[in-house]
Amino acid sequence: MWRFFDVQNTTNLTQLFMSAFRIFKQTSTKMTENAKPLVFNIIAECQTTKARTSKMILPHGEVDTPVFMPVGTQGTLKGMLPEQLEEMGLQIMLANTYHLGTRPGPKILEKAGGLHKFMNWNRNLLTDSGGFQMVSLLELAEITEEGVKFQSLNKTKGEVMLTPEHSIEIQNAIGADIIMQLDDVVQTTVPDKERIALSVESTNMHCRTTRWLDRALKVHKNPNTQNIFPIVQGTLHEDLRRISAKDLTQRVVNGYAIGGLSGGESKDEFWKIVHLCTDLLPKDKPRYLMGVGFAIDLVVCSALGVDMFDCVFPTRTARFGCALTMTGQLNLRKARFAKDFQPIDEDCTCNTCKRYTRAFLHGIVTELPVACHLLTEHNLAFQLRLMKSIRDSVCEQQFPAFVQKFVFDLYPDKNYPSWVKDALTAVNIKLL
Amino acid sequence: MKFFVRSSTKRCPRLGVLRCTEGKSEVEIETPVVLLHTQGGHIPHITHEVFKLVSKEPQILQIPLVSMHSFKDTMTYYNGTISEFIGSKNSLTCLTLHDPSNLTKQGHHTRDKIPIWTKRGKVLYDADMYMDVVESFKPNMYYLLSDGDTNKTSPQKRIAKAVEQTVVFNKQCLERHRKSEVLKKMFVMAPIAGGYCLKSREHCIDRALFIDANEIDGFLIDGLHNNGPEVEFLPFEEIKSILEFSVDKLPPEKLCSVQGCWSPLNVIKLVQCGIDMFDTSYCHILTERSAAMTFQIDTSDENNDYEINLRHHSLAEDFTPIIDGCECLACKKYTRAYIHHLLTVQELLAPVLIMIHNIHHYLRFFRKIRQCIANDTLDEFENFIAGRYENYQRKTTSSVEDKIISENIGDNI
């Protein structure tokens, strides 16, 4: 009988890790170059699906994958102290280049000795390129070969151009362990294939995103302490994704991101592209699926072979009074919780579940800042626990059973969404 | 819970101890003490888990009923105390009516009822409804219901009404207290109303003392103000005679408390009069205006600071802590520049860090006060803080003047 909620049993797990490591040693990358800022050691691979678990070594410590990275947009994670996050076992978080580049700005970050020091976070950081925010926050963004031209929020500056070089320059000042190239994002809902093709396709041999990668790699100042990840583009067109992946895998990088998804496309289209991209990308390097963080998506995409995820959802929904559980979400604002003296989740070991009842949280959510801190802590603990369950079950060769039970618990009426069924069938899991 | 005063001389700074025995464990809290002001059972912005990083010493949480009113029905179904319900079962709790950090709306009186202003509007409490809450919350300490809606400008009619109501409330609440097994163990404090009228104060005290002395463990000098940030700037001279008169009349072996965001200098002056208990609402109002306490507690230090506003643009590149050498988490690990950044981008962590520092500093301030009483050096400390405060006032007024002057010059150009 396997217990995927058992988090205490660490000795056994370590042994399991070790034996699994011996079995699958052949697939792992050897630590040959000392200067390499990313070592990706695969510990176990699922025999049924494409899921794998690894220990990734970055300049600010280890990261166990598959990993969920919460988003600390402006150099802070929604009221949580880094001391609390360390205590919870968080190994990596994300920060946003666009926001940090605006305030406090690269000069102050450089003077502070980088974002790790500025925000007192000694573990790993990942920054995005800033391009996504421009396209999503600023309607007036215009993308040219040179970069992304947009209207500055600061009216005095007028038009500002974010180039691949400038993005790396800011990310060098921030100093995150993993940084992203500026990519040419096209909304998945854009039907214009010619426009998308421009993002990826060969005009001069290879696509714009690839050309921008080359420009980024050229100006990168800290290749020994910061990893640039390129981003596979091509929206929902398989042929374009193939070209993009082929071009990018010819460059010397330590990991890859799958971009341009999670932008409003249907789930039926979404999973197929993820499935394709993990097939196209090399096995011995981490794959990062950007902007994905719902529990079901994490489980399915882990099965499809994704190693890293990020999303604002768990922390954002906490601020609206929503608590995550293995069987779905609880909206604690609902009147039915007023006399409910249970914790959010009996099985959760976070401080919020140890100390508080749903009734108490019901009375303070969306009214007091502490309520937001308490739900943020719980939701982060939930994401961490879910990822640990995924990793442990992969290690124990129980991943398919874990997925079956997880999906069944979430949909006890077996009314499974078709995309979940299809995606899992594609990696040989038949639902209960 | 019992109060023991070390010296029973009237109207002088005094040391005492609040002793709470529950089962086998005994907790002792030294006075003058500062209660931790809470909203919804938490120090604003600070979860109990985070507070552990500030202090591990036993504390008393001040629970304003107005911030917990929404739990009134829930608590009648809950099988525990308010400290368990708010997630801090090892804390001691003290229930009070109003929130000292928020201005209490005046007026709206109804016979035998007191209005409180919750997020969802006005709620009228009479003695019975109030005692129902005390009974279901089961705090360690509580105040009898009172009408404290008076201040310097209150007319005689309002003062008389406040005293009359308070006397009636005291009587009604105590009747309930005597009958209830749950309430018997609690530390009870009687509020003294009467605004700025000595005669009314005297009348209220006489009536309170009429009660069996064994039933009342302490008093609250109520009705000095209507709470909120303005209390910080109340000139001590205005309350001095009322305070001295009241404290003088009260039995010296009982605990004597005030509520509100008094400035540090006025806290010392109140201690000099013999007040034993305060609250941390001052930390809250400072944090809300993005200010951190920087007044020196160690008198050997040369620093002339009193308070800094972390929003000030001059701190954007100041990579030093709020106070160099301060042992709080915010000062040990974070810089002024970082907190300034958090404030400019309106992040939740800014008030968390400022509050961690302010609470830490304020608790230290009270420790220093107790030390000074023990060494008989409270006068020197008062002078020292007064000097710092004057300096700070001079500096802020002159910088305001400078600004006005430079603006005028700008206009002329």
Side-chain angles (χ1 to χ4, degrees), chain B residues 240-257:
Chain B
K240 193 168 185 251
S241 58
I242 288 294
L243 208 89
E244 286 177 348
F245 176 81
S246 307
V247 176
D248 220 16
K249 287 233 156 231
L250 293 169
E253 70 278 9
K254 305 285 185 187
L255 183 94
C256 193
S257 63

Side-chain angles (χ1 to χ4, degrees), chain B residues 178-211:
Chain B
R178 288 184 195 117
K179 276 191 267 176
S180 162
E181 277 305 310
V182 183
L183 296 172
K184 257 182 197 163
K185 294 181 290 182
M186 292 177 201
F187 192 95
V188 189
M189 291 171 281
I192 303 299
Y196 287 73
C197 165
L198 293 180
K199 237 194 176 128
S200 304
R201 289 278 171 187
E202 185 170 26
H203 175 60
C204 198
I205 292 168
D206 284 346
R207 295 300 299 263
L209 295 180
F210 193 68
I211 304 159

Side-chain angles (χ1 to χ4, degrees), chain B residues 103-120:
Chain B
L103 182 68
T104 309
K105 220 186 224 177
Q106 288 170 253
H108 298 266
H109 300 276
T110 313
R111 202 180 144 71
D112 297 333
K113 287 191 170 81
I114 284 293
I116 61 165
W117 302 93
T118 70
K119 287 233 165 76
R120 286 174 188 82

Side-chain angles (χ1 to χ4, degrees), chain A residues 193-293:
Chain A
K193 193 171 174 183
E194 260 177 51
R195 167 66 188 90
I196 303 157
L198 181 62
S199 156
V200 295
E201 220 180 347
S202 25
T203 40
N204 353 319
M205 299 302 288
H206 49 263
C207 69
R208 180 181 285 164
T209 294
T210 314
R211 288 194 297 278
W212 284 5
L213 170 65
D214 291 337
R215 285 164 60 186
L217 287 169
K218 211 166 159 187
V219 295
H220 182 28
K221 275 194 302 199
N222 312 318
N224 292 332
T225 50
Q226 295 186 280
N227 301 281
I228 293 186
F229 277 24
I231 305 171
V232 181
Q233 287 293 349
T235 66
L236 303 173
H237 298 283
E238 298 200 355
D239 49 343
L240 298 179
R241 287 278 174 184
R242 279 178 207 281
I243 297 168
S244 179
K246 189 173 160 247
D247 278 349
L248 298 179
T249 48
Q250 283 162 7
R251 306 298 186 280
V252 185
V253 291
N254 299 326
Y256 299 91
I258 302 166
L261 289 173
S262 216
E265 73 282 353
S266 80
K267 284 286 187 185
D268 292 306
E269 296 168 303
F270 160 83
W271 78 261
K272 283 179 196 139
I273 296 297
V274 175
H275 187 42
L276 171 74
C277 288
T278 52
D279 279 343
L280 296 171
L281 291 171
K283 263 189 155 185
D284 61 352
K285 287 179 182 168
R287 306 149 179 168
Y288 161 34
L289 178 56
M290 303 175 82
V292 167

